[in-house]
């Protein structure tokens, strides 16, 4: 059932008997590049999710809930609409970072069903989810800023650091723009599962159904646990500024 | 030899020829739930350990020292006495967090000999030690706050983050309350050894004897190294406040 | 070709056709112990590297560049000249920490070719590089401060934490002074490759040539990415003070 049909984002409830299960379908042209409007619609979709959660009765709320994001085609997301972002500056970057922080601490479990490439801004969007399932045969996860020649904003480096545990993988990701194919991503612990394309959404739904009860009650419990778990990341996303290396002038 | 026989805690020197080797035996009923009084007595026992260390002559001090904590029965510790803790608020939480910080930076090596379940507050207590040896056949280590529906205080999330290195294990621990049995805990690097129950204390003593010389001189050296090693954790334990997610209102 | 022939440091361009490839040859007696003068000359050599980079034409700059550090003999570096350091205090420690921060965020990729022991101050110097290649048959990497009885300055603990990902390896390194031989260092992810002594420089050069294009343009791009990647470490190196555990008195 389509819960919200926005121009660039569809919000779907894939199972009428489980009204707190949501699929956020990214549909901003073929590449899902992040623009002001795309970010705004994702935030609207998250608002709708929270409204729906708040409307559930106690019995339904006891089942918890979960959110999947995915798309179709070659790209999960090919990153920021970089020319627009550079022109718009903070009026783009600040809402984009707020969206990452909101997703990172969302009050129900979240699963990225990575259907294709997740580059840069799209990689960080995937990292903002609790779990990542990836199409096995094609697609790369990568932070290719180093190859494009763009330094990283504090909150952007922070969200990558929160999700890539090993210093060497982090280095390969940020300093060389290493393209993790699904098997690399799995062995580096960047994704949780690699599956055939036709099993991607089903696998994500399995995760979602299994994890949903952890949000039982649909309170702010998981939001607050995630907030403390990613405390330093949240601080940098929401108040780290948008100047790469800007902190150094204050030392 | 019993060094101190407090109502809820026994402090034992297991080897008269090595007076700076201590076993802190937790004995607060069957579950070792943390209450104000239990925390107070553990702090008293640590005071006594430090007094004894300060009284040793130079030759004895050159051998260093070590502290083991353990208990008997089904539980290492089943966590906080949660109803009392919630009623008492900061007057419980602040001393509890101070105890974790003190143990985390204790000036001799510390080993948790985990004889049974270590849940939530008991898990964090085990994490405050330098090394963890666990009974292999039974017992879980888990942060089950998510299942109880309690968010995490800043210092609590911080001590778990300091000891669970991999983002995925950390997530499974904090967001799903994953119960690590000894084999899981070992492969996640959360414990150092899993041994049969009847070898638990002997194994912990082996660690203690091996590590003791690292505190040679019994100065504040190891305390200060641990303080810098766990700097961010110590800061959050001692001055992070007791409001989960409270930092967000300041961003 | 020798680019700079300072008393304690040689700066070499090993390939005239690739003028932005540099080898920093440490040659402060047999142990490369860090003194004020040695730190000063390393900083001078880094100044010269940056001057040379700035003088390249656009085509040369498009190839990027890289820096290797190495030495000959039994030691890569045996650490600080500790008696001098303790006498000089901040006038030694502050420039030493600044050097680590500069190398950690250097604007071209850096590779430590660890020809022998890298102890304490020498271990941290190796950790300040992006990649580490080590002689396989001999040599240890270790932070032996705990055995010498010296606590760690905030920035020193921070740089070790930035490069040793797993809490247990970090603990073994800092609390027990564990001496990582090349195979240990490799399995702990502390080094990237262990090779026979006679292949050490060639392997480092392979890394350098492969990584050089990541600095294409020779802008501050990589400097800024590294700055955000190691943000907390840079902050502690440059403004963390020189008193071990000093932060605790402010809590």
């Amino acid at each position: 059932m389509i819960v919200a049909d926005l121009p660039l984002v569809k919000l779907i409830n894939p199972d009428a008997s489980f009204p707190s299960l949501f699929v956020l379908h990214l549909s901003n042209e073929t590449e899902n590049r992040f623009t002001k409007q795309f970010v705004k619609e994702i935030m609207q979709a998250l608002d709708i999710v929270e409204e729906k959660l708040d409307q559930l009765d106690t019995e339904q709320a006891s089942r918890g809930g979960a959110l999947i994001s995915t798309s179709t085609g070659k790209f999960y997301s090919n990153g920021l609409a970089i020319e627009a972002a550079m022109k718009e500056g903070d009026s783009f970057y600040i809402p984009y970072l707020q969206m990452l922080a909101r997703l990172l601490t969302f009050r129900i479990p979240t699963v990225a069903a990575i259907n294709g490439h997740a580059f840069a801004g799209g990689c960080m969007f995937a990292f903002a989810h609790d779990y990542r399932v990836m199409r096995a045969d094609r697609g790369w996860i990568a932070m290719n800023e180093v190859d494009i020649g763009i330094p990283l904003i504090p909150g952007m480096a922070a969200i990558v650091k929160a999700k890539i545990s090993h210093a060497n993988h982090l280095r390969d990701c940020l300093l060389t723009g290493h393209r993790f194919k699904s098997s690399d991503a799995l062995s580096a612990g960047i994704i949780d599962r690699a599956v055939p394309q036709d099993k991607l959404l089903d696998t994500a739904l399995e995760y979602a159904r299994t994890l949903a009860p952890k949000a039982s009650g649909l309170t702010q419990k998981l939001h607050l646990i995630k907030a403390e778990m990613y405390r330093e990341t949240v601080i940098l996303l929401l108040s780290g500024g948008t100047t790469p290396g800007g902190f150094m002038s204050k030392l």
Side-chain angles (χ1 to χ4, degrees), chain A residues 239-241 243 245-251:
Chain A
S239 64
T243 308
F247 72 93
M248 282 189 293
S249 65
K250 297 175 197 160
L251 298 181

Side-chain angles (χ1 to χ4, degrees), chain A residues 142-173:
Chain A
M143 290 291 290
N144 54 329
E145 279 79 353
V146 65
D147 292 323
I148 312 174
I150 301 174
L152 288 165
I153 283 174
M156 294 182 169
I159 200 167
V160 178
K161 287 158 76 173
K163 298 297 177 110
I164 304 189
S165 305
H166 198 292
N168 294 354
H169 295 309
L170 178 67
R171 174 198 64 193
D172 293 346
C173 180

Side-chain angles (χ1 to χ4, degrees), chain A residues 4 27 37 73 90 108 114 155 164 187 201 206 224 229 236-237:
Chain A
S27 46
Q37 183 60 27
D90 283 7
I108 52 176
I114 305 171
I164 304 189
S187 70
L201 192 59
E206 268 177 49
L224 292 173
M229 187 172 158
L236 287 173
L237 285 168

Side-chain angles (χ1 to χ4, degrees), chain A residues 170-191:
Chain A
L170 178 67
R171 174 198 64 193
D172 293 346
C173 180
L174 293 185
L175 297 190
T176 76
H178 180 75
R179 295 176 173 208
F180 292 86
K181 57 183 178 180
S182 63
S183 54
D184 287 353
L186 199 58
S187 70
I190 292 172
I191 61 168

